[in-house]
Amino acid sequence: MIVRKTTAELEKMRRSGLLVFEILRKLQEIAVEGATTMDLEVAAEKMISDAGARPAFKGYYVPAAGQDYKFVLCTSVNEEIVHGMPNPKRVLKKGDIVSIDTGVKLDGYYGDSAVTVPIGEVSEPVRKLLRVTREALELAIDRVRAGNRLFDVCGTVEQHVTSNGFSVVREYVGHGIGTQLHEEPQVPNYVDRRNENPRLKEGMVLAVEPMVNAGRPEAVVRKDRWTAVTKDGSYSAHFEHCVAVTENGPWVLTRP
Ligand code: MF3
Ligand code: CO
């Protein structure tokens, strides 16, 4: 069942979304050559607690890993796709890209968003990877409209990514969001005909999160049981926004 939110509930999700936006904005300033991914974690944890919010990821049980996640952020560098863990030894260097993904719970409602940022100057193919992934998210956001179907959103990401010579990750997907971090429906970045294709209705909220590999689509999980990396070692980019279906069209909750 896909939960539909009232306007009052969407206003609460908006507050969570804007907090996540402010955190990611601050972290993008900190993410420079010489900083560590743990520096990002420390800053994010303070912002969440100063705002009187709860982290969405820390303490979240993931069956595949067999344990709770230990951090407020996922920081996934270069060939890491998602669920990279902040590490005081992981010093960011010129040419790296880092996906910073965070979520919060405020007044009972979740917000969840991610950006991938370049460290210093990155190569032209890597700039294209970031651009195409960001564009795929924007094009998909525009499909989050009452009367459209879920596959319109999923297929838009897939089409834009594959037509630019990149590939979408299949092992990890976007999701509904609200009083739970992960609600129905799953939002794959490709059309998965094994799933249902519900019509989108006002009040639904989707976390749309393209995960795009420069090379082959396959993902493998490292021995740490969390970090998903590309099997071929190619770079991977990730952007995410929470988007509500409203009578006025898509409402991106996780940016002003
Ligand atoms: N943005 C990701 C998601 O929505 C991150 C979850 S990390 C976890 O699934 F540890 F909380 F699982
Ligand atoms: Co998410």
Side-chain angles (χ1 to χ4, degrees):
M1 192 203 35
I2 303 176
V3 180
R4 295 169 66 185
K5 283 82 181 173
T6 63
T7 305
E9 290 177 299
L10 291 182
E11 294 291 349
K12 290 187 178 186
M13 295 193 71
R14 176 62 164 165
R15 291 190 52 225
S16 306
L18 288 180
L19 175 57
V20 168
F21 175 84
E22 290 302 333
I23 294 166
L24 291 180
R25 186 167 67 165
K26 179 76 185 169
L27 297 183
Q28 287 175 79
E29 292 172 13
I30 299 172
V32 295
E33 189 187 7
T36 73
T37 53
M38 187 56 80
D39 295 337
L40 303 174
E41 170 76 11
V42 169
E45 188 153 34
K46 177 164 193 314
M47 288 187 78
I48 294 169
S49 104
D50 286 353
R54 305 282 307 178
F57 302 169
K58 192 172 180 170
Y60 189 83
Y61 181 76
V62 173
Q67 53 181 299
D68 292 352
Y69 191 66
K70 303 291 190 296
F71 305 96
V72 307
L73 298 183
C74 296
T75 52
S76 307
V77 183
N78 298 344
E79 76 283 3
E80 298 171 358
I81 301 168
V82 285
H83 304 168
M85 290 178 283
N87 179 343
K89 291 187 205 144
R90 184 60 143 128
V91 181
L92 297 170
K93 58 181 201 318
K94 263 188 274 195
D96 285 344
I97 57 172
V98 57
S99 151
I100 310 171
D101 185 358
T102 196
V104 303
K105 185 182 185 181
L106 199 57
D107 203 6
Y109 288 84
Y110 284 92
D112 181 10
S113 183
V115 289
T116 302
V117 299
I119 305 300
E121 183 117 328
V122 300
S123 69
E124 167 51 26
V126 173
R127 285 206 298 275
K128 182 183 173 192
L129 176 68
L130 299 182
R131 173 176 59 79
V132 168
T133 308
R134 208 184 295 112
E135 288 168 354
L137 175 55
E138 293 304 324
L139 291 167
I141 286 170
D142 193 58
R143 305 303 296 165
V144 181
R145 293 176 184 276
N148 283 359
R149 287 184 180 272
L150 182 65
F151 286 1
D152 296 327
V153 178
C154 307
T156 295
V157 175
E158 181 175 36
Q159 163 61 31
H160 190 67
V161 169
T162 57
S163 68
N164 277 284
F166 299 136
S167 58
V168 294
V169 173
R170 304 177 84 85
E171 290 89 340
Y172 301 88
V173 297
H175 49 94
I177 183 168
T179 59
Q180 308 294 317
L181 175 61
H182 295 143
E183 297 184 358
E184 286 184 39
Q186 290 194 21
V187 186
N189 295 302
Y190 61 98
V191 173
D192 187 346
R193 297 200 185 279
R194 299 168 302 182
N195 289 353
E196 287 187 84
N197 184 18
R199 208 176 273 287
L200 301 181
K201 299 196 168 106
E202 280 171 30
M204 292 180 176
V205 185
L206 304 180
V208 184
E209 48 181 317
M211 290 156 260
V212 175
N213 296 351
R216 300 280 313 159
E218 293 81 13
V220 292
V221 178
R222 284 200 188 130
K223 277 208 300 285
D224 63 23
R225 303 194 58 150
W226 284 100
T227 314
V229 299
T230 59
K231 195 174 176 191
D232 65 4
S234 65
Y235 277 25
S236 187
H238 176 214
F239 289 84
E240 175 177 22
H241 276 302
C242 293
V243 191
V245 180
T246 80
E247 62 182 357
N248 302 317
W251 183 16
V252 182
L253 299 173
T254 42
R255 71 179 170 211

